Amino acid sequence: MQHEITARHPLLDSQGQLIEPGYTKGLLMEYDRHAIRAGSLRIKEWDYYLITCRDFGIALTIADNSYMCLDSISFLDFQTGWQQTASPMGFLSLGKRHLPASSSEGDLCVSRKTYGLEFLHRGDHRILRFHMDNFCDGKPISGEIRLENPKQESMVICTPFPEKKTAFYYNQKINCMPASGQVVFDGLTREFVPGQAFGVLDWGRGVWTYKNTWYWGSASGLVDGIPFGFNIGYGFGDTSAASENMLFYDGKAHKLSQVTFHIPMKPKTFSTRGGCCGRSGMTVDTADLTEDYLSPWTFTSDDGRFEMDFVPILDRAACTDIKLICSDQHQVFGLFTGRAVLDDGRVIQVKDFLGFAEKVFNKW
């Protein structure tokens, strides 16, 4: 079942519960933080931008997760497979950062002694500015990027959580945003060339349960000169009303059903049942396996409309574990090759199409 919401109304009712789970192709529901009826420490809000070209990428985050806030800059070098992420945190922000209630308006600025980020709306485009004095080994990073706001459809999902009626996730993903600008790091100025660089916005607002795992994948670019991208994912909440899987082609969204991530596995320990894992005649228990993120993945769909191979380039891995709070992230960037089928049956073939796929486990 893929329920499309077509009428505009508030996101939450008077009890703080989702009025209508499902998906839309634009930011239709009206988000109001004051309508939330869950505990104030459970509210999570963020704006995440990822801008990539074939050689490098930049990811920028401003988040207010109530009990903590986070600002993040990532530099991704796809030529060498190197990445660096710096994510200063604060505590008990509790909504004081005033993240906008809509993705289409409202500026978001963070200014600290050693770094700053700005996400600015300018009508038909957005401006992203950032700097950090000590980004990596004492070296600073800075940049300014322009993202165009073309008239196009996007993925929006309203997801409830079965464990708690006042928990929900309201999320928009805007793919295929044409990008231009530059990044200065390690003595080099790298350019995002128009027509070769694209951005995606992950705009999230909601009340999350304490423990969850999500899978997310995304890519944006050109196929035969026409903008094409996709958003795929699952793993959290009750998605029986709709999945977040969607294709984007020439500004139009095409809804997919279910997509499965097939992450390769490898032995993580020697078997305790008679010898080394993988030796002839020995068996390996699934408890002795772990994800092999840098080996090739595959993706399949229940209707055959999204079938991809994925060759990793780099794993942006991060793990924070302080018992009550844990975040284990693997955002793997690489190249997709395969086919995607639009609503009208047209087949889009891609080869070595840059994107990412991730698995994230959180106790937060």
Side-chain angles (χ1 to χ4, degrees):
M1 178 181 179
Q2 299 292 310
H3 174 64
E4 183 174 4
I5 303 168
T6 58
R8 182 179 297 276
H9 56 71
L11 181 70
L12 305 177
D13 63 19
S14 59
Q15 284 75 48
Q17 300 178 26
L18 277 181
I19 291 176
E20 189 176 6
Y23 79 96
T24 69
K25 297 179 180 179
L27 205 64
L28 196 60
M29 304 298 97
E30 300 166 5
Y31 173 76
D32 180 2
R33 185 184 175 100
H34 297 98
I36 293 174
R37 296 294 177 262
S40 59
L41 292 177
R42 304 309 308 157
I43 303 173
K44 305 185 189 303
E45 303 175 327
W46 63 76
D47 286 17
Y48 168 89
Y49 287 94
L50 171 68
I51 305 91
T52 59
C53 62
R54 185 59 185 86
D55 292 339
F56 74 98
I58 283 287
L60 306 170
T61 305
I62 298 177
D64 186 336
N65 292 329
S66 296
Y67 68 88
M68 56 83 74
C69 58
L70 177 143
D71 307 309
S72 185
I73 300 173
S74 294
F75 180 81
L76 311 155
D77 188 330
F78 303 133
Q79 292 181 306
T80 65
W82 180 86
Q83 69 87 25
Q84 172 69 18
T85 297
S87 303
M89 290 191 296
F91 296 94
L92 294 177
S93 47
L94 295 169
K96 298 172 185 176
R97 313 195 100 187
H98 303 294
L99 272 69
S102 170
S103 68
S104 60
E105 60 185 12
D107 295 341
L108 187 52
C109 303
V110 173
S111 179
R112 299 291 183 263
K113 185 176 180 180
T114 59
Y115 73 90
L117 295 101
E118 295 180 310
F119 300 164
L120 309 175
H121 285 272
R122 294 296 181 263
D124 64 350
H125 68 280
R126 305 166 193 242
I127 297 294
L128 312 180
R129 297 191 184 108
F130 59 94
H131 75 271
M132 185 173 287
D133 294 344
N134 182 9
F135 176 66
C136 178
D137 296 331
K139 301 172 184 176
I141 192 171
S142 63
E144 180 170 322
I145 300 163
R146 173 176 170 137
L147 291 178
E148 305 302 325
N149 272 335
K151 292 183 178 180
Q152 61 177 357
E153 295 177 335
S154 62
M155 192 292 300
V156 180
I157 192 167
C158 306
T159 305
F161 289 80
E163 310 97 299
K164 190 173 179 61
K165 292 183 178 181
T166 55
F168 67 92
Y169 184 41
Y170 187 36
N171 178 225
Q172 181 181 36
K173 306 279 180 34
I174 304 177
N175 286 62
C176 303
M177 303 175 75
S180 59
Q182 65 180 25
V183 178
V184 181
F185 173 62
D186 198 16
L188 296 175
T189 299
R190 294 170 170 85
E191 298 284 343
F192 285 118
V193 179
Q196 300 178 19
F198 294 88
V200 61
L201 168 63
D202 173 14
W203 183 90
R205 303 291 187 269
V207 173
W208 283 70
T209 53
Y210 171 62
K211 184 177 179 181
N212 38 69
T213 299
W214 74 65
Y215 298 79
W216 177 34
S218 179
S220 297
L222 297 177
V223 174
D224 297 329
I226 297 175
F228 171 74
F230 56 80
N231 184 84
I232 53 176
Y234 59 95
F236 59 87
D238 179 3
T239 56
S240 60
S243 73
E244 65 175 89
N245 302 313
M246 194 172 281
L247 306 174
F248 308 98
Y249 186 75
D250 201 16
K252 296 296 184 181
H254 301 256
K255 190 71 183 68
L256 300 176
S257 180
Q258 303 300 324
V259 174
T260 302
F261 292 40
H262 302 280
I263 305 174
M265 306 296 288
K266 65 181 178 180
K268 65 179 178 181
T269 62
F270 288 113
S271 172
T272 60
R273 295 179 295 162
C276 180
C277 297
R279 289 183 180 174
S280 177
M282 301 301 173
T283 59
V284 180
D285 191 278
T286 55
D288 296 321
L289 299 177
T290 187
E291 289 87 352
D292 186 5
Y293 289 104
L294 288 176
S295 289
W297 304 23
T298 60
F299 297 81
T300 59
S301 56
D302 61 348
D303 54 9
R305 291 182 56 191
F306 189 87
E307 306 291 321
M308 294 283 174
D309 296 323
F310 177 67
V311 178
I313 296 172
L314 68 86
D315 177 10
R316 193 189 70 80
C319 185
T320 301
D321 188 354
I322 53 176
K323 304 311 177 187
L324 288 178
I325 298 173
C326 177
S327 181
D328 188 3
Q329 307 177 18
H330 289 269
Q331 184 181 32
V332 182
F333 291 83
L335 303 175
F336 288 88
T337 297
R339 64 194 294 273
V341 181
L342 305 182
D343 289 343
D344 61 7
R346 283 180 292 170
V347 177
I348 307 300
Q349 299 279 357
V350 299
K351 180 175 175 56
D352 296 336
F353 196 72
L354 182 70
F356 73 87
E358 70 178 28
K359 178 182 179 182
V360 176
F361 168 75
N362 281 327
K363 291 192 299 185
W364 60 341

Short mmCIF file of all heavy atoms in Angstrom, two decimals, residues 18-69:
data_model
loop_
_atom_site.label_atom_id
_atom_site.label_comp_id
_atom_site.label_asym_id
_atom_site.label_seq_id
_atom_site.Cartn_x
_atom_site.Cartn_y
_atom_site.Cartn_z
N LEU A 18 -0.06 11.81 14.58
CA LEU A 18 -0.17 12.05 13.15
C LEU A 18 -1.62 11.92 12.69
O LEU A 18 -2.28 10.93 12.98
CB LEU A 18 0.69 11.06 12.36
CG LEU A 18 2.18 11.34 12.19
CD1 LEU A 18 2.82 10.23 11.37
CD2 LEU A 18 2.42 12.69 11.52
N ILE A 19 -2.09 12.91 11.95
CA ILE A 19 -3.45 12.86 11.44
C ILE A 19 -3.54 11.88 10.28
O ILE A 19 -4.51 11.11 10.18
CB ILE A 19 -3.90 14.27 11.01
CG1 ILE A 19 -4.07 15.17 12.24
CG2 ILE A 19 -5.21 14.20 10.21
CD1 ILE A 19 -4.41 16.61 11.90
N GLU A 20 -2.54 11.85 9.43
CA GLU A 20 -2.63 11.04 8.22
C GLU A 20 -1.25 10.52 7.83
O GLU A 20 -0.50 11.21 7.14
CB GLU A 20 -3.24 11.86 7.08
CG GLU A 20 -3.57 11.05 5.84
CD GLU A 20 -4.26 11.88 4.77
OE1 GLU A 20 -4.37 13.11 4.96
OE2 GLU A 20 -4.69 11.30 3.77
N PRO A 21 -0.91 9.30 8.20
CA PRO A 21 0.34 8.71 7.72
C PRO A 21 0.30 8.51 6.21
O PRO A 21 -0.76 8.22 5.64
CB PRO A 21 0.41 7.37 8.45
CG PRO A 21 -0.49 7.52 9.64
CD PRO A 21 -1.59 8.43 9.17
N GLY A 22 1.44 8.67 5.57
CA GLY A 22 1.52 8.48 4.13
C GLY A 22 2.62 9.34 3.53
O GLY A 22 3.53 9.77 4.23
N TYR A 23 2.51 9.57 2.22
CA TYR A 23 3.55 10.35 1.54
C TYR A 23 2.90 11.44 0.69
O TYR A 23 1.71 11.37 0.34
CB TYR A 23 4.42 9.46 0.65
CG TYR A 23 3.79 9.10 -0.68
CD1 TYR A 23 4.07 9.84 -1.83
CD2 TYR A 23 2.90 8.03 -0.79
CE1 TYR A 23 3.48 9.53 -3.05
CE2 TYR A 23 2.31 7.71 -2.01
CZ TYR A 23 2.60 8.46 -3.14
OH TYR A 23 2.01 8.16 -4.33
N THR A 24 3.68 12.44 0.39
CA THR A 24 3.29 13.47 -0.57
C THR A 24 4.50 13.76 -1.45
O THR A 24 5.61 13.30 -1.19
CB THR A 24 2.83 14.78 0.12
OG1 THR A 24 3.96 15.40 0.75
CG2 THR A 24 1.78 14.50 1.18
N LYS A 25 4.28 14.57 -2.49
CA LYS A 25 5.37 14.95 -3.40
C LYS A 25 5.78 16.40 -3.19
O LYS A 25 6.43 16.99 -4.05
CB LYS A 25 4.94 14.69 -4.84
CG LYS A 25 4.68 13.22 -5.13
CD LYS A 25 4.22 12.98 -6.56
CE LYS A 25 3.98 11.50 -6.83
NZ LYS A 25 3.50 11.24 -8.21
N GLY A 26 5.40 16.95 -2.05
CA GLY A 26 5.78 18.30 -1.66
C GLY A 26 5.48 18.46 -0.19
O GLY A 26 4.81 17.63 0.43
N LEU A 27 5.97 19.53 0.42
CA LEU A 27 5.81 19.73 1.86
C LEU A 27 4.41 20.25 2.14
O LEU A 27 4.18 21.45 2.28
CB LEU A 27 6.87 20.71 2.38
CG LEU A 27 7.22 20.57 3.86
CD1 LEU A 27 7.85 19.22 4.15
CD2 LEU A 27 8.19 21.67 4.28
N LEU A 28 3.45 19.32 2.22
CA LEU A 28 2.03 19.65 2.30
C LEU A 28 1.55 19.85 3.74
O LEU A 28 0.76 20.75 4.03
CB LEU A 28 1.22 18.54 1.63
CG LEU A 28 -0.22 18.83 1.24
CD1 LEU A 28 -0.29 19.99 0.26
CD2 LEU A 28 -0.87 17.59 0.65
N MET A 29 2.00 18.99 4.65
CA MET A 29 1.56 19.06 6.03
C MET A 29 2.19 20.26 6.75
O MET A 29 3.32 20.65 6.47
CB MET A 29 1.90 17.78 6.79
CG MET A 29 1.35 16.50 6.18
SD MET A 29 -0.45 16.45 6.09
CE MET A 29 -0.74 16.97 4.40
N GLU A 30 1.48 20.80 7.71
CA GLU A 30 1.93 21.97 8.47
C GLU A 30 2.53 21.51 9.80
O GLU A 30 1.81 21.03 10.68
CB GLU A 30 0.77 22.93 8.69
CG GLU A 30 0.16 23.44 7.38
CD GLU A 30 -1.18 24.10 7.59
OE1 GLU A 30 -1.61 24.25 8.77
OE2 GLU A 30 -1.83 24.44 6.59
N TYR A 31 3.84 21.65 9.93
CA TYR A 31 4.55 21.25 11.15
C TYR A 31 4.52 22.38 12.17
O TYR A 31 4.84 23.53 11.86
CB TYR A 31 5.99 20.89 10.81
CG TYR A 31 6.86 20.63 12.02
CD1 TYR A 31 6.76 19.42 12.72
CD2 TYR A 31 7.79 21.57 12.45
CE1 TYR A 31 7.56 19.17 13.83
CE2 TYR A 31 8.60 21.32 13.55
CZ TYR A 31 8.48 20.13 14.24
OH TYR A 31 9.27 19.88 15.34
N ASP A 32 4.13 22.04 13.40
CA ASP A 32 4.09 23.01 14.50
C ASP A 32 4.68 22.35 15.73
O ASP A 32 4.09 21.43 16.31
CB ASP A 32 2.64 23.45 14.77
CG ASP A 32 2.55 24.46 15.91
OD1 ASP A 32 3.60 24.86 16.47
OD2 ASP A 32 1.42 24.85 16.25
N ARG A 33 5.85 22.79 16.13
CA ARG A 33 6.53 22.20 17.29
C ARG A 33 5.66 22.28 18.54
O ARG A 33 5.70 21.39 19.39
CB ARG A 33 7.87 22.91 17.50
CG ARG A 33 8.73 22.30 18.62
CD ARG A 33 9.99 23.12 18.84
NE ARG A 33 10.75 22.62 19.98
CZ ARG A 33 11.82 21.83 19.89
NH1 ARG A 33 12.25 21.45 18.70
NH2 ARG A 33 12.44 21.42 20.97
N HIS A 34 4.86 23.32 18.65
CA HIS A 34 4.02 23.50 19.84
C HIS A 34 2.88 22.48 19.92
O HIS A 34 2.25 22.31 20.97
CB HIS A 34 3.44 24.91 19.87
CG HIS A 34 4.50 25.98 19.98
ND1 HIS A 34 4.97 26.67 18.89
CD2 HIS A 34 5.19 26.44 21.05
CE1 HIS A 34 5.89 27.54 19.28
NE2 HIS A 34 6.05 27.42 20.58
N ALA A 35 2.58 21.80 18.81
CA ALA A 35 1.52 20.79 18.82
C ALA A 35 2.01 19.44 19.32
O ALA A 35 1.20 18.52 19.51
CB ALA A 35 0.95 20.64 17.41
N ILE A 36 3.31 19.30 19.53
CA ILE A 36 3.87 18.02 20.00
C ILE A 36 3.47 17.77 21.45
O ILE A 36 3.51 18.68 22.29
CB ILE A 36 5.40 18.04 19.84
CG1 ILE A 36 5.77 18.07 18.34
CG2 ILE A 36 6.04 16.84 20.53
CD1 ILE A 36 7.25 18.24 18.07
N ARG A 37 3.07 16.53 21.74
CA ARG A 37 2.64 16.18 23.09
C ARG A 37 3.59 15.18 23.77
O ARG A 37 3.29 14.68 24.84
CB ARG A 37 1.23 15.59 23.04
CG ARG A 37 0.18 16.59 22.56
CD ARG A 37 0.01 17.72 23.56
NE ARG A 37 -0.95 18.72 23.10
CZ ARG A 37 -0.61 19.86 22.50
NH1 ARG A 37 0.69 20.13 22.29
NH2 ARG A 37 -1.52 20.73 22.10
N ALA A 38 4.71 14.92 23.17
CA ALA A 38 5.72 14.04 23.78
C ALA A 38 6.65 14.87 24.66
O ALA A 38 6.63 16.10 24.65
CB ALA A 38 6.52 13.33 22.69
N GLY A 39 7.49 14.17 25.42
CA GLY A 39 8.46 14.85 26.26
C GLY A 39 9.41 15.71 25.44
O GLY A 39 9.81 15.34 24.33
N SER A 40 9.80 16.84 25.98
CA SER A 40 10.60 17.80 25.22
C SER A 40 11.96 17.25 24.82
O SER A 40 12.53 17.67 23.81
CB SER A 40 10.79 19.08 26.04
OG SER A 40 11.45 18.81 27.27
N LEU A 41 12.50 16.29 25.57
CA LEU A 41 13.81 15.73 25.23
C LEU A 41 13.76 14.76 24.05
O LEU A 41 14.80 14.35 23.55
CB LEU A 41 14.41 15.01 26.44
CG LEU A 41 14.82 15.89 27.62
CD1 LEU A 41 15.33 15.04 28.77
CD2 LEU A 41 15.90 16.89 27.19
N ARG A 42 12.54 14.38 23.60
CA ARG A 42 12.42 13.42 22.50
C ARG A 42 12.32 14.10 21.14
O ARG A 42 12.35 13.42 20.11
CB ARG A 42 11.18 12.53 22.70
CG ARG A 42 11.09 11.77 24.01
CD ARG A 42 12.37 10.99 24.32
NE ARG A 42 12.78 10.15 23.21
CZ ARG A 42 14.03 9.73 23.03
NH1 ARG A 42 14.97 10.10 23.86
NH2 ARG A 42 14.33 8.95 22.01
N ILE A 43 12.19 15.42 21.08
CA ILE A 43 12.01 16.12 19.81
C ILE A 43 13.35 16.22 19.09
O ILE A 43 14.36 16.59 19.69
CB ILE A 43 11.42 17.52 20.04
CG1 ILE A 43 10.10 17.43 20.80
CG2 ILE A 43 11.23 18.24 18.71
CD1 ILE A 43 9.55 18.77 21.22
N LYS A 44 13.34 15.90 17.79
CA LYS A 44 14.56 15.95 16.99
C LYS A 44 14.28 16.68 15.68
O LYS A 44 13.34 16.36 14.96
CB LYS A 44 15.07 14.53 16.74
CG LYS A 44 15.27 13.75 18.05
CD LYS A 44 15.88 12.40 17.85
CE LYS A 44 15.86 11.61 19.15
NZ LYS A 44 16.54 12.30 20.25
N GLU A 45 15.14 17.65 15.40
CA GLU A 45 14.99 18.47 14.20
C GLU A 45 16.36 18.67 13.55
O GLU A 45 17.34 18.91 14.27
CB GLU A 45 14.39 19.84 14.54
CG GLU A 45 13.04 19.76 15.26
CD GLU A 45 12.53 21.12 15.70
OE1 GLU A 45 13.37 22.00 16.03
OE2 GLU A 45 11.30 21.31 15.72
N TRP A 46 16.42 18.55 12.22
CA TRP A 46 17.70 18.80 11.55
C TRP A 46 17.50 19.21 10.10
O TRP A 46 16.50 18.91 9.47
CB TRP A 46 18.60 17.55 11.60
CG TRP A 46 18.06 16.35 10.88
CD1 TRP A 46 18.04 16.13 9.53
CD2 TRP A 46 17.46 15.20 11.48
NE1 TRP A 46 17.48 14.91 9.26
CE2 TRP A 46 17.11 14.31 10.43
CE3 TRP A 46 17.21 14.81 12.80
CZ2 TRP A 46 16.51 13.08 10.67
CZ3 TRP A 46 16.61 13.59 13.03
CH2 TRP A 46 16.27 12.74 11.98
N ASP A 47 18.51 19.92 9.58
CA ASP A 47 18.68 20.21 8.16
C ASP A 47 20.04 19.65 7.76
O ASP A 47 21.06 20.01 8.36
CB ASP A 47 18.65 21.71 7.87
CG ASP A 47 17.27 22.32 7.98
OD1 ASP A 47 16.38 21.68 8.58
OD2 ASP A 47 17.09 23.45 7.48
N TYR A 48 20.04 18.77 6.77
CA TYR A 48 21.28 18.15 6.29
C TYR A 48 21.37 18.35 4.79
O TYR A 48 20.45 17.99 4.05
CB TYR A 48 21.27 16.66 6.63
CG TYR A 48 22.34 15.82 5.94
CD1 TYR A 48 23.59 15.65 6.51
CD2 TYR A 48 22.07 15.19 4.73
CE1 TYR A 48 24.56 14.87 5.87
CE2 TYR A 48 23.03 14.40 4.09
CZ TYR A 48 24.27 14.25 4.67
OH TYR A 48 25.22 13.48 4.03
N TYR A 49 22.47 18.94 4.34
CA TYR A 49 22.72 19.11 2.92
C TYR A 49 23.94 18.29 2.52
O TYR A 49 24.96 18.30 3.21
CB TYR A 49 23.01 20.58 2.59
CG TYR A 49 21.81 21.50 2.63
CD1 TYR A 49 21.49 22.21 3.78
CD2 TYR A 49 21.01 21.67 1.50
CE1 TYR A 49 20.40 23.07 3.81
CE2 TYR A 49 19.92 22.54 1.53
CZ TYR A 49 19.62 23.23 2.68
OH TYR A 49 18.54 24.08 2.71
N LEU A 50 23.82 17.61 1.38
CA LEU A 50 24.95 16.92 0.78
C LEU A 50 25.10 17.41 -0.65
O LEU A 50 24.14 17.39 -1.42
CB LEU A 50 24.73 15.40 0.78
CG LEU A 50 25.74 14.58 -0.02
CD1 LEU A 50 27.11 14.62 0.65
CD2 LEU A 50 25.26 13.13 -0.18
N ILE A 51 26.31 17.87 -0.99
CA ILE A 51 26.60 18.36 -2.33
C ILE A 51 27.76 17.55 -2.87
O ILE A 51 28.80 17.43 -2.22
CB ILE A 51 26.96 19.86 -2.33
CG1 ILE A 51 25.83 20.66 -1.66
CG2 ILE A 51 27.18 20.36 -3.75
CD1 ILE A 51 26.00 20.87 -0.17
N THR A 52 27.58 16.97 -4.07
CA THR A 52 28.62 16.13 -4.63
C THR A 52 28.83 16.42 -6.11
O THR A 52 27.92 16.85 -6.82
CB THR A 52 28.28 14.62 -4.50
OG1 THR A 52 27.05 14.35 -5.18
CG2 THR A 52 28.17 14.22 -3.04
N CYS A 53 30.06 16.18 -6.55
CA CYS A 53 30.39 16.02 -7.96
C CYS A 53 31.19 14.73 -8.06
O CYS A 53 31.32 14.01 -7.07
CB CYS A 53 31.15 17.23 -8.50
SG CYS A 53 32.74 17.52 -7.71
N ARG A 54 31.72 14.43 -9.21
CA ARG A 54 32.38 13.13 -9.38
C ARG A 54 33.63 13.00 -8.52
O ARG A 54 33.99 11.89 -8.10
CB ARG A 54 32.72 12.89 -10.85
CG ARG A 54 33.30 11.50 -11.13
CD ARG A 54 32.32 10.42 -10.71
NE ARG A 54 32.90 9.07 -10.86
CZ ARG A 54 33.64 8.48 -9.93
NH1 ARG A 54 33.90 9.11 -8.79
NH2 ARG A 54 34.12 7.27 -10.11
N ASP A 55 34.31 14.11 -8.22
CA ASP A 55 35.60 14.04 -7.53
C ASP A 55 35.51 14.22 -6.02
O ASP A 55 36.33 13.68 -5.28
CB ASP A 55 36.57 15.08 -8.10
CG ASP A 55 36.97 14.78 -9.53
OD1 ASP A 55 36.84 13.60 -9.94
OD2 ASP A 55 37.38 15.70 -10.24
N PHE A 56 34.54 15.02 -5.54
CA PHE A 56 34.49 15.31 -4.10
C PHE A 56 33.09 15.71 -3.69
O PHE A 56 32.19 15.90 -4.52
CB PHE A 56 35.50 16.41 -3.75
CG PHE A 56 35.09 17.80 -4.20
CD1 PHE A 56 34.49 18.68 -3.31
CD2 PHE A 56 35.32 18.22 -5.50
CE1 PHE A 56 34.11 19.96 -3.72
CE2 PHE A 56 34.94 19.49 -5.92
CZ PHE A 56 34.34 20.35 -5.02
N GLY A 57 32.90 15.84 -2.38
CA GLY A 57 31.62 16.24 -1.84
C GLY A 57 31.76 16.95 -0.51
O GLY A 57 32.80 16.86 0.15
N ILE A 58 30.70 17.64 -0.13
CA ILE A 58 30.61 18.33 1.16
C ILE A 58 29.26 18.00 1.78
O ILE A 58 28.22 18.04 1.09
CB ILE A 58 30.74 19.85 1.00
CG1 ILE A 58 32.20 20.25 0.76
CG2 ILE A 58 30.20 20.59 2.22
CD1 ILE A 58 33.08 20.15 1.99
N ALA A 59 29.25 17.66 3.06
CA ALA A 59 28.01 17.47 3.81
C ALA A 59 27.98 18.45 4.97
O ALA A 59 28.98 18.62 5.68
CB ALA A 59 27.91 16.04 4.31
N LEU A 60 26.82 19.08 5.18
CA LEU A 60 26.65 20.10 6.21
C LEU A 60 25.39 19.80 7.00
O LEU A 60 24.34 19.53 6.41
CB LEU A 60 26.54 21.49 5.58
CG LEU A 60 27.66 21.92 4.62
CD1 LEU A 60 27.28 23.21 3.91
CD2 LEU A 60 28.98 22.10 5.38
N THR A 61 25.48 19.87 8.32
CA THR A 61 24.33 19.59 9.19
C THR A 61 24.21 20.64 10.27
O THR A 61 25.22 21.03 10.89
CB THR A 61 24.48 18.22 9.87
OG1 THR A 61 24.67 17.21 8.88
CG2 THR A 61 23.24 17.89 10.70
N ILE A 62 22.99 21.07 10.51
CA ILE A 62 22.62 21.80 11.73
C ILE A 62 21.46 21.04 12.35
O ILE A 62 20.43 20.85 11.70
CB ILE A 62 22.23 23.26 11.44
CG1 ILE A 62 23.41 24.03 10.83
CG2 ILE A 62 21.75 23.95 12.72
CD1 ILE A 62 23.06 25.47 10.43
N ALA A 63 21.64 20.60 13.60
CA ALA A 63 20.62 19.76 14.25
C ALA A 63 20.35 20.23 15.66
O ALA A 63 21.27 20.67 16.37
CB ALA A 63 21.08 18.30 14.27
N ASP A 64 19.08 20.11 16.06
CA ASP A 64 18.66 20.35 17.44
C ASP A 64 17.89 19.12 17.88
O ASP A 64 16.74 18.92 17.51
CB ASP A 64 17.77 21.59 17.51
CG ASP A 64 17.40 21.97 18.94
OD1 ASP A 64 17.43 21.08 19.83
OD2 ASP A 64 17.10 23.14 19.19
N ASN A 65 18.57 18.26 18.65
CA ASN A 65 17.95 17.03 19.13
C ASN A 65 17.50 17.13 20.58
O ASN A 65 17.38 16.13 21.29
CB ASN A 65 18.92 15.86 18.96
CG ASN A 65 19.16 15.53 17.50
OD1 ASN A 65 18.28 15.71 16.67
ND2 ASN A 65 20.36 15.07 17.18
N SER A 66 17.27 18.36 21.01
CA SER A 66 16.70 18.69 22.32
C SER A 66 17.68 18.47 23.47
O SER A 66 18.10 19.42 24.12
CB SER A 66 15.40 17.92 22.57
OG SER A 66 14.41 18.31 21.64
N TYR A 67 18.08 17.22 23.73
CA TYR A 67 19.05 17.00 24.80
C TYR A 67 20.45 17.35 24.35
O TYR A 67 21.35 17.55 25.17
CB TYR A 67 19.01 15.55 25.28
CG TYR A 67 19.50 14.54 24.27
CD1 TYR A 67 20.85 14.21 24.20
CD2 TYR A 67 18.62 13.93 23.40
CE1 TYR A 67 21.30 13.30 23.27
CE2 TYR A 67 19.07 13.01 22.48
CZ TYR A 67 20.41 12.70 22.41
OH TYR A 67 20.85 11.80 21.48
N MET A 68 20.65 17.45 23.03
CA MET A 68 21.93 17.88 22.48
C MET A 68 21.71 18.54 21.12
O MET A 68 20.69 18.33 20.47
CB MET A 68 22.91 16.70 22.33
CG MET A 68 22.40 15.54 21.49
SD MET A 68 22.58 15.73 19.69
CE MET A 68 24.34 15.47 19.52
N CYS A 69 22.67 19.37 20.72
CA CYS A 69 22.66 19.96 19.39
C CYS A 69 23.98 19.62 18.71
O CYS A 69 24.98 19.33 19.38
CB CYS A 69 22.44 21.47 19.44
SG CYS A 69 23.66 22.38 20.41
#
